[in-house]
């Protein structure tokens, strides 16, 4: 009898040990995100080191493009295990100003096309937003905002699509790029002020007519540039969703950094305090609450044409930046979700998964995503077409996090 009890006890202990071991190695089995993480770093093959990634783009063939703060762009070829198989430097934007540098903040790929008389495709062209690389400097070129198309198989030739766009004397700039269903290019562009009026922190610069909003750009040299929507303080990234809606993350005002107008644009205004970052569903011609006296927009978060945000991020000063749609059907419940990066948010809300209503007009739930991992100032996010992998640019860590889905079978 004692032998039998000992055998039962040993069996129970073995089962308990196996369960504990599974808990340690299998986040999926115990309700974690279901994603494993691989940190991607690499040695730059050119004289410019890899540091401070600001924007990511995935080419349709799976190559990952990484833009960084000083204007250098890297093309990474990854193997099946997400190891870096090769790195190519693309210095086209960086070479424009090796002293003050060029701040690259957005990238988007155009369509593949075929050369005349050739069965082989060329491209796709890479569109890049960039501006004066300095921060908080009275000497910043406030008309340095540019969108450039990089062409050729090596992307070493640049053709400017739009130039002379506003750039603040702080850290607000022409930011994220996205192609719309109409074939036009859409640019999120920051304002020159904290809340509409000039201030010492923002080097006493006024708002400009083409700042603080979303621009619509015809993607050809000399193409038309127009305002699509206004009233966005510092929209970092935007995405055209498969439901037909355009969504934009916008950074809220900071208390003490500049005033808002009252009812008229000419007054001294009042401090708005620190306000929440926002997710906005963008409608053409509408106003989203950041005043711009140069356009006669004087009411902070109000007025006849005002549209309230569809969602406010919970953490004040979270700096909600990168945004991407999960377009695949691989993971049940993820299709159509938005994933966003929160540069300054505390754990566990560095990366958020936003579930939308059927009509795309509301956020029905906002969930911290893969919070078992630590992220160092996550700034941008892109998702592979097959839905297996999220790539996150960690500005403060000089690295890329690759979050790969582990199937329930593999993780159990």
């Amino acid at each position: 009898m004692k032998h039998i009890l000992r055998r039962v006890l040993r069996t129970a202990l073995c089962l308990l040990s196996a369960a504990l071991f599974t808990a340690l190695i299998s986040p999926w089995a115990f309700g974690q995100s279901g994603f494993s993480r691989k940190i991607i770093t690499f040695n730059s093959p050119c004289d410019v080191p890899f540091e401070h990634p600001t924007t990511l783009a995935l080419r349709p063939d799976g190559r990952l493009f990484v833009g960084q703060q000083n204007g250098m762009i890297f093309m990474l070829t990854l193997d099946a295990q997400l190891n870096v198989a090769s790195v190519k430097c693309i210095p086209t934007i960086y070479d424009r100003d090796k002293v003050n540098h060029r701040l690259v903040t957005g990238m988007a790929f155009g369509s593949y096309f075929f050369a005349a008389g050739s069965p082989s495709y060329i491209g796709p062209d890479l569109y890049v937003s960039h501006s004066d690389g300095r921060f908080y400097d009275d000497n910043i070129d406030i008309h340095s905002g540019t969108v450039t198309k990089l062409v050729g198989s090596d992307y070493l030739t640049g053709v400017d699509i739009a130039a002379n766009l506003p750039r603040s004397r702080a850290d607000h700039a022409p930011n994220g790029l996205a192609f719309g269903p109409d074939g036009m290019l859409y640019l999120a562009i920051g304002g020159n002020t904290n809340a509409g009026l000039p201030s010492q922190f923002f080097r006493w610069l006024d708002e400009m007519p083409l700042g603080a909003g979303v621009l619509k750009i015809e993607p050809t040299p000399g193409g038309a540039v127009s305002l699509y929507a206004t009233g966005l303080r510092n929209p970092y990234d935007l995405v055209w969703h498969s439901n037909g809606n355009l969504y934009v993350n916008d950074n809220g005002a900071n208390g003490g950094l500049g005033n808002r107008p009252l009812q008229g644009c000419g007054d001294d205004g009042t401090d708005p305090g620190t306000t929440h970052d926002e997710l906005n569903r963008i409608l053409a011609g509408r106003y989203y609450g950041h005043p711009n006296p140069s356009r006669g927009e004087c009411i902070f978060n109000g007025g006849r044409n005002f549209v309230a945000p569809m969602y406010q991020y919970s953490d004040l000063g979270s700096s909600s930046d990168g945004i991407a749609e999960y377009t695949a059907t691989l993971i049940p419940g993820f299709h159509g979700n938005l994933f966003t990066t929160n540069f300054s948010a505390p754990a566990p809300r560095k990366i958020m998964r936003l579930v939308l209503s059927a009509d795309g007009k509301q956020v029905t739930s906002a969930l911290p995503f893969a919070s078992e991992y630590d992220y160092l100032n996550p700034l941008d996010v892109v998702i592979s077409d097959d839905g297996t992998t999220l790539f996150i640019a960690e500005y403060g860590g000089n690295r890329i996090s690759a979050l790969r889905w582990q199937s329930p079978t593999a993780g159990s």
Side-chain angles (χ1 to χ4, degrees):
M1 183 69 177
K2 291 180 180 178
H3 296 298
I4 294 173
L5 289 174
R6 280 198 293 268
R7 283 198 297 271
V8 171
L9 180 60
R10 281 198 300 269
T11 301
L13 289 173
C14 288
L15 291 172
L16 177 61
S17 297
L20 290 173
F21 180 71
T22 302
L24 291 173
I25 65 171
S26 176
W28 165 260
F30 281 80
Q32 299 286 316
S33 67
F35 285 77
S36 62
R37 179 168 79 163
K38 184 178 184 66
I39 299 295
I40 297 177
T41 60
F42 55 90
N43 293 321
S44 168
C46 52
D47 293 335
V48 180
F50 167 53
E51 58 185 359
H52 300 319
T54 53
T55 181
L56 302 173
L58 277 170
R59 205 166 73 174
D61 63 3
R63 286 181 172 85
L64 178 65
F65 284 63
V66 182
Q68 66 181 33
Q69 181 176 294
N70 62 11
M72 183 60 72
I73 299 171
F74 297 98
M75 180 176 70
L76 308 184
T77 301
L78 305 175
D79 65 18
Q81 288 73 45
L82 300 178
N83 299 308
V84 178
S86 67
V87 182
K88 178 178 176 58
C89 294
I90 303 173
T92 315
I93 304 300
Y94 174 84
D95 285 345
R96 290 193 175 198
D97 190 342
K98 294 182 180 180
V99 177
N100 297 315
H101 302 300
R102 299 293 294 179
L103 173 63
V104 167
T105 37
M107 297 189 297
F109 281 105
S111 302
Y112 280 96
F113 62 92
F114 290 84
S118 171
S120 300
Y121 62 74
I122 299 174
D125 296 332
L126 177 64
Y127 293 77
V128 181
S129 60
H130 55 100
S131 59
D132 192 313
R134 293 169 286 186
F135 298 94
Y136 302 100
D137 189 324
D138 290 338
N139 297 313
I140 287 174
D141 181 355
I142 61 174
H143 302 288
S144 61
T146 308
V147 177
T148 300
K149 178 172 70 171
L150 304 186
V151 300
S153 59
D154 52 10
Y155 298 103
L156 297 181
T157 300
V159 180
D160 289 348
I161 300 304
N164 302 314
L165 302 176
R167 163 69 161 92
S168 79
R169 291 181 180 141
D171 57 358
H172 296 183
N175 293 318
L177 289 168
F179 275 94
D182 56 359
M184 296 292 105
L185 191 60
Y186 291 79
L187 170 68
I189 189 164
N192 293 335
T193 70
N194 178 56
L197 297 180
S199 68
Q200 182 177 6
F201 184 84
F202 282 83
R203 302 303 195 267
W204 301 112
L205 188 61
D206 291 310
E207 291 290 357
M208 299 179 183
L210 287 180
V214 174
L215 302 183
K216 181 178 180 179
I217 301 172
E218 185 179 349
T220 57
V225 177
S226 60
L227 282 167
Y228 186 73
T230 65
L232 298 161
R233 178 181 177 273
N234 188 35
Y236 192 80
D237 202 8
L238 72 175
V239 61
W240 276 99
H241 197 279
S242 58
N243 63 18
N245 288 307
L246 175 61
Y247 299 103
V248 175
N249 272 338
D250 192 20
N251 292 177
N254 294 290
L257 300 190
N259 289 352
R260 63 178 181 178
L262 293 175
Q263 295 300 313
C265 285
D267 57 46
D268 292 332
T270 59
D271 190 334
T274 299
T275 63
H276 290 274
D277 291 358
E278 303 172 351
L279 174 67
N280 289 283
R281 174 175 165 263
I282 300 299
L283 302 174
R286 302 299 294 273
Y287 169 66
Y288 288 83
H290 176 81
N292 187 332
S294 73
R295 293 193 292 253
E297 297 168 340
C298 303
I299 302 178
F300 183 84
N301 286 343
R304 179 180 57 84
N305 202 34
F306 172 66
V307 179
M310 65 180 293
Y311 175 74
Q312 291 185 325
Y313 293 91
S314 60
D315 299 299
L316 289 173
S318 61
S319 188
S320 303
D321 297 314
I323 185 169
E325 180 194 358
Y326 190 91
T327 58
T329 58
L330 175 67
I331 305 173
F334 274 32
H335 180 72
N337 291 181
L338 294 175
F339 287 79
T340 74
T341 60
N342 298 280
F343 185 89
S344 302
R349 295 178 293 277
K350 294 287 189 182
I351 312 296
M352 295 292 290
R353 178 168 73 93
L354 307 180
V355 182
L356 303 179
S357 59
D359 61 6
K361 296 180 180 180
Q362 295 179 334
V363 173
T364 59
S365 66
L367 308 166
F369 175 72
S371 57
E372 65 268 32
Y373 305 117
D374 183 36
Y375 305 96
L376 302 175
N377 301 124
L379 191 52
D380 199 14
V381 56
V382 293
I383 306 173
S384 63
D385 288 342
D386 62 6
T388 60
T389 311
L390 285 81
F391 296 94
I392 298 163
E394 295 189 47
Y395 175 91
N398 300 324
R399 66 191 190 186
I400 309 297
S401 271
L403 302 178
R404 170 153 291 183
W405 170 246
Q406 303 297 307
S407 71
T409 301
S412 60

